[in-house]
């Protein structure tokens, strides 16, 4: 152990008891965190990353969870303290004070009935024993430090009144309010726009340099880790399968699971038939024995590249057809600041004079930051939101002024896959019933027996089991729930589907599987997609053409590869530059930046 060591985890085992078995969520792991160092802990959902963090904080709920054995040594002013042997009173003095944590979802971590400022001030008063006036001053200073706009206004704002990126900054301000030695960040940027994510990562690096913190950064995205971490710990089914410097892991991964995580993020410099997944590098049999394919990331990726001639031929065939959808001068405004008699004084121009065509069999990507109008545009096309003006023409039919009854026929042809599969499924009915329901509404098939046969066929098609018909949404993982929503959208045999941020909250490995599935289904059933996302790398992989939106307007439109290679607007360039690419040049640039910062603080 060196004088710089902050945290030592030795042979940690954390178990959870279910009705049927005991699950070792963390299974005999060991690693060390030093001052001023960032360790990236990566792996899929269920790998044990978050349980490791909660074990360090002693926040494992017993029952059903229990820290069974091991040591968690925290080296502080009091000497070396084994957190597993500390009393609950001692742990309260460490939590939030010496060891802080930023949780994955800031909306559920912040109390909705207290203002943002009051929640941060409360933590300061609790640990630093200062009065409310001093705590308020320090909170506003922290809000400035984390670059929140109008910190005095944010102090009095409630969580629902600020954006996702701003909520995450409030959580960071709370986490650093007592100058902790260790900051644990559990997926703090997963659902954020890439531009917001980039600013959050830069902010965390700057705060680390200012205070010489050790950071434990948990994520499923190795691209993020490349720009932030010094060392990487890769977890799989509760075990550490590989650890080393960020350069070693990225340039020479040893374990097939690590190779799979590196390969499954959509590449920006080449176009692939489909995305590699973990199964391209390893399979695990019924006896939990791993079988490696012994292939490198380059071998697998290079075998999937589409030739430029094939891309050109596809585009020629697509664009010589008549459009399936024509959007002409579409506007969707929302009234705000209503006066005494309910008359709007102003409008939010969510969709502002937008025009484009979509061709049969095409995937048109729609990209932009949160608030740019892309989701409102998608919902307006389906008449889930009423347009203010303009035209929506589907297969030559003008849908703009059709009422609910007239739209019913077209709803069968036009479907949507929502961002959050859990909230779009009824928790009180089985998934089989959820998929059958739209068939009944539209009078498809003769009876429920025939409908059930169709549902079982669809479940198989989206790689689920027939016995899943009788299970409820809470019994599935996020990726499985998204497959259920895809099956439900397919149940009506639609021609046109809008995918609204349908993979943004998934692990990169599960995301790759769902994106491959969507592409397979498009080829099989000749669907037409509008694919909405804030992640330009995902949109580029999926799309033939791409639309970039900002403030309700289209700022750029064209072939996906051309927009990436030759972006015309500064906004598009900013979106591209914000993507964590995980390439050698980026890692070297990040390491150089860190070295310069460290030299400047010496």
């Amino acid at each position: 152990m060196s004088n710089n060591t902050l945290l030592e985890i030795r042979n940690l085992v954390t178990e959870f008891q279910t009705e049927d078995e005991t699950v070792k969520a963390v299974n005999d792991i060991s690693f060390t965190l030093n001052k001023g160092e960032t360790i990236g802990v990566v792996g899929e959902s269920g790998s044990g990353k978050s349980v490791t963090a909660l074990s360090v904080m002693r926040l494992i709920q017993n029952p059903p969870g229990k820290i069974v054995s091991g040591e968690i040594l925290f080296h502080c002013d009091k000497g070396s303290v084994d957190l597993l042997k500390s009393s609950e009173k001692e742990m309260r003095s460490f939590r939030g004070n010496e060891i802080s944590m930023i949780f994955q979802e800031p909306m559920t971590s912040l109390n909705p009935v207290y203002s943002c400022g009051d929640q941060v001030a409360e933590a300061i008063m609790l640990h630093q024993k200062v009065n409310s006036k001093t705590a308020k001053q320090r909170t506003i200073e922290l809000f400035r430090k984390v670059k929140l706009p109008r910190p005095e206004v944010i102090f009095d704002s409630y969580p629902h009144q600020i954006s996702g990126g701003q909520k995450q900054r409030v959580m960071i301000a709370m986490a650093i309010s007592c100058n902790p030695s260790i900051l644990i960040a559990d997926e703090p940027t997963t659902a954020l726009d890439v531009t917001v994510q980039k600013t959050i990562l830069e902010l965390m690096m700057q705060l680390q340099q200012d205070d010489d913190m050790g950071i434990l950064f948990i994520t499923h995205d190795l691209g993020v880790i490349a720009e932030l971490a010094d060392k990487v710990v890769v977890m799989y089914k509760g075990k550490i399968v590989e650890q080393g410097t960020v350069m070693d892991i990225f340039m020479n991964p040893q374990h097939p699971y690590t190779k799979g995580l590196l390969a499954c993020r959509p590449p920006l410099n080449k176009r692939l038939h489909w995305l590699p997944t973990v199964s391209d590098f390893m399979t695990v049999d019924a006896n939990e024995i791993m079988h490696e394919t012994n292939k490198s990331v380059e071998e697998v990726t290079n075998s999937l590249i589409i030739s430029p001639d094939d891309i050109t031929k596809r585009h020629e065939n697509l664009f010589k057809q008549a459009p399936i959808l024509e959007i002409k001068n579409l506007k969707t405004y929302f009234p705000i600041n209503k006066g005494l008699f309910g008359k709007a004084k102003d409008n939010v121009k969510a969709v502002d004079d937008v025009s484009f065509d979509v061709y049969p069999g095409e995937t048109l990507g729609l990209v932009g930051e949160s608030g740019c109008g892309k989701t409102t545009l998608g919902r307006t096309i389906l008449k889930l939101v009423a347009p203010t003006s303009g035209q929506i023409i589907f297969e030559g039919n003008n849908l703009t002024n059709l009422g609910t009854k007239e739209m019913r026929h077209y709803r069968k042809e036009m479907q949507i896959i929502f961002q959050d599969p859990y909230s779009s499924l009824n928790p009180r009915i089985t998934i089989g019933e959820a998929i059958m329901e739209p068939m009944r509404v539209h009078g498809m098939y003769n009876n429920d027996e025939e409908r059930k046969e169709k549902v079982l066929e669809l479940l198989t098609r989206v790689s689920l089991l027939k016995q899943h018909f009788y299970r409820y949404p809470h019994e599935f993982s996020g990726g499985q729930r998204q497959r259920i929503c895809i099956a439900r959208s397919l149940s009506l045999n639609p021609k046109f589907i809008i995918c609204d941020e349908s993979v943004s909250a998934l692990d990169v490995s599960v995301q790759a599987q769902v994106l491959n599935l969507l592409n397979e289904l498009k080829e099989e059933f000749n669907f037409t997609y509008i694919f909405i996302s804030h992640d330009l790398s995902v949109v580029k992989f999926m799309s033939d053409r791409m639309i970039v939106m900002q403030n309700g307007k289209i700022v750029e439109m064209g072939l996906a590869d051309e927009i990436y290679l030759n972006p015309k607007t500064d906004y598009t360039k900013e979106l591209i530059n914000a993507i964590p690419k995980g390439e050698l040049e980026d890692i070297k640039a990040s390491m150089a930046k860190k070295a310069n910062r460290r030299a400047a603080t010496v």
Side-chain angles (χ1 to χ4, degrees):
M1 185 196 80
S2 72
N3 292 332
N4 284 328
T5 302
L6 279 174
L7 186 72
E8 286 182 274
I9 296 178
R10 297 178 181 173
N11 308 110
L12 179 65
V13 178
T14 303
E15 294 178 350
F16 285 84
Q17 188 67 45
T18 69
E19 291 180 3
D20 305 318
E21 61 180 334
T22 298
V23 177
K24 288 190 176 181
V26 172
N27 190 0
D28 194 24
I29 68 165
S30 302
F31 63 88
T32 301
L33 175 68
N34 297 319
K35 288 180 183 177
E37 181 179 64
T38 299
I39 291 182
V41 183
V42 296
E44 297 169 289
S45 294
S47 62
K49 313 182 300 292
S50 294
V51 176
T52 299
L54 293 171
S55 299
V56 172
M57 297 290 283
R58 287 264 307 273
L59 292 174
I60 297 293
Q61 190 174 353
N62 185 10
K66 183 181 179 183
I67 300 173
V68 177
S69 61
E71 294 177 296
I72 302 175
L73 301 178
F74 173 48
H75 302 285
C76 58
D77 295 337
K78 298 176 183 177
S80 294
V81 179
D82 188 346
L83 299 180
L84 299 186
K85 294 178 181 176
S86 300
S87 66
E88 184 55 36
K89 184 178 179 181
E90 286 175 310
M91 280 307 302
R92 281 198 298 269
S93 70
F94 288 132
R95 283 193 210 110
N97 190 24
E98 294 280 359
I99 307 172
S100 265
M101 188 163 177
I102 306 167
F103 293 95
Q104 179 171 356
E105 180 43 69
M107 192 65 211
T108 56
S109 304
L110 291 168
N111 191 324
V113 301
Y114 290 100
S115 74
C116 296
D118 283 339
Q119 294 183 62
V120 178
E122 181 186 25
I124 293 170
M125 287 189 285
L126 177 67
H127 288 291
Q128 298 189 8
K129 312 299 181 192
V130 297
N131 60 34
S132 58
K133 185 179 179 182
T134 304
K136 180 175 181 177
Q137 289 173 343
R138 289 188 187 174
T139 300
I140 290 172
E141 286 169 12
L142 283 165
F143 283 178
R144 286 198 186 95
K145 191 171 186 178
V146 298
K147 297 180 173 60
L148 275 166
R150 301 169 294 122
E152 291 83 1
V153 175
I154 299 264
F155 185 95
D156 294 317
S157 299
Y158 290 85
H160 72 274
Q161 295 176 304
I162 61 177
S163 71
Q166 288 172 338
K167 282 193 278 281
Q168 199 58 282
R169 288 166 191 262
V170 170
M171 288 297 298
I172 292 172
M174 188 185 297
I176 65 169
S177 61
C178 298
N179 298 319
S181 303
I182 298 172
L183 180 64
I184 300 173
D186 186 7
E187 301 268 16
T189 62
T190 296
L192 299 180
D193 294 338
V194 285
T195 48
V196 178
Q197 173 180 272
K198 186 177 182 181
T199 58
I200 294 290
L201 296 178
E202 287 175 348
L203 170 64
M204 290 181 69
M205 284 191 281
Q206 185 59 58
L207 294 172
Q208 181 185 46
Q209 294 306 129
D210 292 346
D211 301 318
D212 208 26
M213 284 188 299
I215 296 179
L216 207 58
F217 193 94
I218 295 167
T219 183
H220 60 257
D221 190 344
L222 274 161
V224 170
I225 287 297
E227 300 188 12
L228 185 73
D230 300 293
K231 292 192 302 195
V232 182
V233 170
V234 183
M235 292 190 70
Y236 174 68
K237 293 190 175 181
K239 289 181 174 287
I240 293 175
V241 294
E242 189 166 0
Q243 60 179 306
T245 68
V246 68
M247 189 67 82
D248 288 341
I249 296 293
F250 275 79
M251 296 305 111
N252 190 27
Q254 297 299 307
H255 197 277
Y257 182 67
T258 310
K259 294 176 186 177
L261 290 180
L262 283 167
C264 62
R265 184 161 178 80
L268 285 160
N269 56 355
K270 59 191 82 168
R271 184 166 280 273
L272 306 182
H273 288 283
W274 68 86
L275 289 173
T277 61
V278 171
S279 61
D280 288 306
F281 299 89
M282 59 177 272
T283 54
V284 179
D285 63 23
N287 298 315
E288 293 292 309
I289 297 172
M290 185 183 72
H291 303 276
E292 298 184 37
T293 61
N294 294 317
K295 293 180 181 177
S296 69
V297 174
E298 290 74 21
E299 279 179 294
V300 172
T301 304
N302 290 340
S303 69
L304 300 173
I305 293 174
I306 306 174
S307 73
D309 288 345
D310 287 344
I311 296 170
T312 302
K313 196 177 296 182
R314 171 175 168 77
H315 289 162
E316 287 173 355
N317 291 332
L318 273 178
F319 304 138
K320 69 183 180 185
Q321 307 172 92
I324 189 173
L325 179 72
E326 299 167 79
I327 303 300
K328 298 182 178 181
N329 306 108
L330 193 64
K331 296 179 181 179
T332 306
Y333 294 175
F334 297 110
I336 55 171
N337 300 329
K338 290 187 177 180
L340 183 63
F341 299 104
K343 188 175 181 181
K345 295 180 180 178
D346 201 358
N347 291 292
V348 173
K349 297 180 179 180
V351 178
D352 193 10
D353 197 19
V354 165
S355 300
F356 59 89
D357 296 335
V358 187
Y359 295 88
E362 179 185 18
T363 298
L364 179 69
L366 203 54
V367 70
E369 295 176 291
S370 295
C372 72
K374 55 189 189 298
T375 292
T376 303
L377 174 57
R379 293 183 181 214
T380 303
I381 290 168
L382 295 179
K383 296 291 296 294
L384 299 175
V385 174
T388 304
S389 65
Q391 291 184 308
I392 304 162
I393 300 170
F394 180 71
E395 292 191 316
N397 302 292
N398 193 338
L399 311 184
T400 317
N401 298 314
L402 294 186
T404 305
K405 191 174 181 181
E406 294 97 328
M407 272 299 297
R408 177 167 286 194
H409 165 72
Y410 294 102
R411 296 221 180 282
K412 187 166 171 267
E413 306 289 334
M414 307 166 76
Q415 286 290 301
I416 185 168
I417 303 168
F418 292 102
Q419 177 173 357
D420 183 359
Y422 194 71
S423 64
S424 58
L425 291 169
N426 188 331
R428 291 176 290 186
I429 65 173
T430 64
I431 62 116
E433 283 292 319
I435 298 170
M436 280 173 64
E437 188 177 36
M439 296 184 196
R440 288 197 194 106
V441 170
H442 289 277
M444 293 181 67
Y445 306 103
N446 295 316
N447 51 50
D448 275 358
E449 195 173 321
E450 288 185 14
R451 293 182 191 110
K452 183 179 177 181
E453 280 301 311
K454 179 64 176 176
V455 173
L456 294 176
E457 181 187 315
L458 287 170
L459 288 176
T460 304
R461 186 62 199 84
V462 298
S463 303
L464 293 171
L465 302 175
K466 290 185 177 181
Q467 55 263 41
H468 287 158
F469 183 98
Y470 301 100
R471 295 189 185 174
Y472 290 86
H474 73 273
E475 298 180 77
F476 296 90
S477 69
Q480 287 174 320
R481 283 198 287 266
Q482 199 57 279
R483 290 170 186 272
I484 292 164
C485 289
I486 291 170
R488 186 174 60 178
S489 71
L490 299 182
S491 65
L492 298 176
N493 300 322
K495 295 178 181 177
F496 172 72
I497 298 176
I498 292 179
C499 305
D500 185 10
E501 297 275 14
S502 52
V503 296
S504 63
L506 302 179
D507 291 345
V508 284
S509 53
V510 178
Q511 173 182 281
Q513 294 168 23
V514 173
L515 293 177
N516 289 340
L517 173 63
L518 288 170
N519 277 335
E520 285 173 21
L521 294 170
K522 183 175 78 167
E523 294 302 315
E524 187 175 334
F525 297 104
N526 198 32
F527 292 138
T528 303
Y529 288 140
I530 286 183
F531 193 90
I532 299 171
S533 179
H534 62 258
D535 188 337
L536 194 140
S537 63
V538 170
V539 171
K540 179 183 172 296
F541 167 73
M542 290 293 292
S543 306
D544 297 292
R545 288 184 302 143
M546 194 155 62
I547 287 174
V548 183
M549 285 188 72
Q550 183 184 27
N551 298 329
K553 292 182 177 292
I554 293 175
V555 296
E556 196 157 351
M557 179 164 54
L559 294 175
D561 292 317
E562 286 182 11
I563 284 181
Y564 174 69
L565 293 171
N566 300 296
K568 300 290 189 294
T569 67
D570 290 340
Y571 179 68
T572 309
K573 291 173 186 174
E574 186 183 343
L575 287 178
I576 292 169
N577 291 334
I579 299 168
K581 302 173 184 69
E583 294 170 357
L584 180 60
E585 295 76 19
D586 300 306
I587 296 170
K588 286 180 176 177
S590 179
M591 291 173 69
K593 192 184 291 184
K594 286 179 186 176
N596 291 336
R597 280 178 172 167
R598 282 169 184 152
T601 57
V602 172

